[in-house]
């Protein structure tokens, strides 16, 4: 099967001066693969309009089905992704009323006035759709250009993840149907900080996405709910991925004195 | 001052499936900045010749002074960076005798015969220069294309760093002269593993490069030599960077019970 191609564009000087390792790229790549895409290329550019335009143009011209960018959506002078995206698409850069309401609501709640810099976060390419940012302020920007869906996200990882997951259903619906397998483990007696490297190991070794949720305490022991998902055009493969990760995680948690049980049966299904 | 522009190309499917975070990119960016370059753009592509060619062509066409690639130099079928570099430059892909000697020496030492796959690592664009790989097997590939210097390195971090540092003098000599400041700390009583996150913090907060070398023991306490360097067109700035990092590191080492002293006076100079 030929998968739709995704490109990832990371914007920010800090990514090209060696101070920051681009973890957004790894997170998005994994998500997009599980959503049914081939991640074909990633571009990292500076806060420089010429280069941001170049990156979007290249991805559109190479026939990307999906472009996801991170960074450059904030209020300061060097946040220019949205404006440069308008340039790359040859569209007018306009005030988006829905985005303006989202931004105004954020500041009203803190009794802060709107300023030119804050309004800037509601400026988008013509016909774009703002995506609500529950964690920060700047909305995401979603726009279609022919067969290409473009999604511009903030660079702060928690905001980037929140907005991405809001539109993940749409992103997934544009890829071929994938079989999903999702299993929850309930782990008693291992704190989340100790679980983090084990989860990273499982994600490195298996094509799965693992998320942990602290779920209170019981008799003084921390309870962690660990969700392991995989998807693949082949249901068999998705199931094997999840099973491999579950075996590894259970072993590791038990080595650390944890009590592990499965919370529910496998739930395969087409997405 | 207008700095020469460097592009970094990372090759490998594993970088686009979310399993690996690209730490090579952060390491190279920092090095290149301290060597006097502006890192303009980074491209990550799959093990796919069309895309590898696209990445090199784009960087050459945009007037890069320096292109550094990582990954795809090994013996397997999906290691194709050198061959695709030849294609991108429109050059013949030929057996480089000097590279062949380097590769043969590696296998002879282990009493292993040369095979087609091993010879492949000595194939390079016409007029390329192999760079010895002391850590692994595949030599680096250096080639000039008009005003652009191109350096293809393996993807394994220790090999990549070793080869890069072998030619760093040449790379630096092609950039405007920078002022260097280098200071060594001698730290007693803090093991290197405990020092690692402190060093990362200093590198995140200051434009410096920090390297630690375990230097034996004294009265049962580990001795660590910590080298802090910075460079900048302005000597003042390089000095301030190093001083800031030294202050932070000394404080952090002392918090952990370490004894810290400076090993030698500042040694500024033009490079």
């Amino acid at each position: 099967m030929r998968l739709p191609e995704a490109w990832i564009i990371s914007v920010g000087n800090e990514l090209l001066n060696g101070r920051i390792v681009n973890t957004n790229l790894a997170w998005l790549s994994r998500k997009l693969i599980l959503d049914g895409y081939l991640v074909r290329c990633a571009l990292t550019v500076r806060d420089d309009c010429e280069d941001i335009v170049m990156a979007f143009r290249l991805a559109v011209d190479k026939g990307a089905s999906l472009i996801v960018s991170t960074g450059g959506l904030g209020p300061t002078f060097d946040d220019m992704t949205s404006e440069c995206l308008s340039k790359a698409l040859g569209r007018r850069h306009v005030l988006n009323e829905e985005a303006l309401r989202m931004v105004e609501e954020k500041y009203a709640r803190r009794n802060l006035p709107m300023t030119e810099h804050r309004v800037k976060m509601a400026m988008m390419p013509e016909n774009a759709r703002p995506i609500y940012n529950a964690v920060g302020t700047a909305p995401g920007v979603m726009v279609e250009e022919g067969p290409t869906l473009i999604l511009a996200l903030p660079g702060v990882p928690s905001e980037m993840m929140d907005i991405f997951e809001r539109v993940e259903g749409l992103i997934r619906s544009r890829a071929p149907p994938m079989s999903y397998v999702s299993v929850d483990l309930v782990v008693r007696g291992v704190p989340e900080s100790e679980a983090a490297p084990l989860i990273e190991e499982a994600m490195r070794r298996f094509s799965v996405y693992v998320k942990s949720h602290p779920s209170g305490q019981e008799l003084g022991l921390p309870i962690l709910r660990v969700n392991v998902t995989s998807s693949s055009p082949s249901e068999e493969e998705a199931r094997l991925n999840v099973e491999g990760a579950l075996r590894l995680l259970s072993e590791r948690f038990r080595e650390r004195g944890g009590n592990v049980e499965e919370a529910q049966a496998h739930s395969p299904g087409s997405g």
Side-chain angles (χ1 to χ4, degrees), chain A:
Chain A
M1 186 187 344
R2 207 179 137 75
L3 296 175
E5 291 178 357
W7 288 55
I8 297 173
I9 298 172
S10 310
V11 179
N13 292 352
E14 72 281 8
L15 298 167
L16 292 172
N17 67 13
R19 297 234 186 143
I20 298 233
V21 173
N22 190 351
T23 53
N24 283 348
L25 175 56
W27 189 89
L28 279 171
S29 298
R30 172 173 300 261
K31 276 287 198 181
L32 292 173
I33 285 164
L34 296 176
D35 290 336
Y37 290 79
L38 173 89
V39 181
R40 179 166 170 197
C41 184
L43 286 145
T44 308
V45 294
R46 305 179 69 81
D47 301 305
D48 176 303
C49 205
E50 186 189 333
D51 291 349
I52 297 171
V53 168
M54 170 189 75
F56 280 113
R57 277 299 346 150
L58 183 66
V60 168
D61 292 345
K62 291 280 175 184
S65 295
L66 175 67
I67 303 171
V68 181
S69 76
T70 60
L73 291 190
T76 66
F77 77 96
D78 58 352
D79 288 308
M80 52 180 86
T81 300
S82 181
E83 188 185 338
C84 306
L85 174 56
S86 294
K87 267 192 199 155
L89 302 179
R91 300 198 194 181
R92 292 198 308 136
H93 192 60
V94 298
L95 185 70
N96 182 297
E97 293 295 339
E98 193 185 343
L100 185 64
R101 279 193 299 277
M102 291 179 184
V103 176
E104 278 173 344
E105 179 239 338
K106 296 278 178 184
Y107 288 105
R109 213 189 289 169
R110 292 189 273 156
N111 274 317
L112 289 170
M114 287 299 284
T115 63
E116 191 192 332
H117 287 91
R118 290 168 183 161
V119 170
K120 175 170 171 277
M121 292 186 278
M123 301 285 293
M124 299 193 172
E126 206 160 19
N127 296 320
R129 181 186 141 200
I131 315 291
Y132 189 70
N133 181 342
V135 179
T137 307
V141 179
M142 182 176 261
V143 59
E144 299 203 51
E145 175 76 2
T148 309
L149 179 69
I150 302 170
L151 178 64
L153 302 173
V156 178
S158 55
E159 300 183 30
M160 183 277 292
M161 294 175 191
D162 173 75
I163 301 180
F164 181 87
E165 288 180 341
R166 255 164 230 281
V167 292
E168 195 172 6
L170 170 65
I171 286 172
R172 203 180 278 152
S173 73
R174 293 169 62 108
M178 303 283 276
S179 287
Y180 279 84
V181 176
S182 170
V183 178
D184 277 12
L185 291 180
V186 178
V187 183
R188 290 178 172 80
V190 181
E192 197 179 23
S193 59
E194 221 175 288
L198 314 181
I199 287 173
E200 277 169 28
E201 185 189 352
M203 288 182 48
R204 208 164 47 235
R205 292 180 50 183
F206 297 94
S207 182
V208 294
Y209 187 70
V210 184
K211 215 168 174 171
S212 63
H213 310 270
S215 308
Q217 296 217 333
E218 203 179 74
L219 304 173
L221 294 180
I223 304 175
L224 207 57
R225 209 175 173 90
V226 180
N227 176 241
V228 180
T229 55
S230 185
S231 61
S232 163
S234 140
E235 186 186 317
E236 171 72 3
E237 195 184 304
R239 200 175 47 73
L240 289 174
N241 286 334
V242 168
E243 286 176 1
L246 286 175
R247 247 194 318 275
L248 176 73
L249 284 168
S250 301
E251 196 186 311
R252 293 281 185 271
F253 283 126
R254 287 188 182 118
E255 284 166 6
R256 277 157 189 77
N259 174 292
V260 184
E261 57 189 61
E262 237 172 73
Q264 56 187 55
H266 289 192
S267 52
S270 277

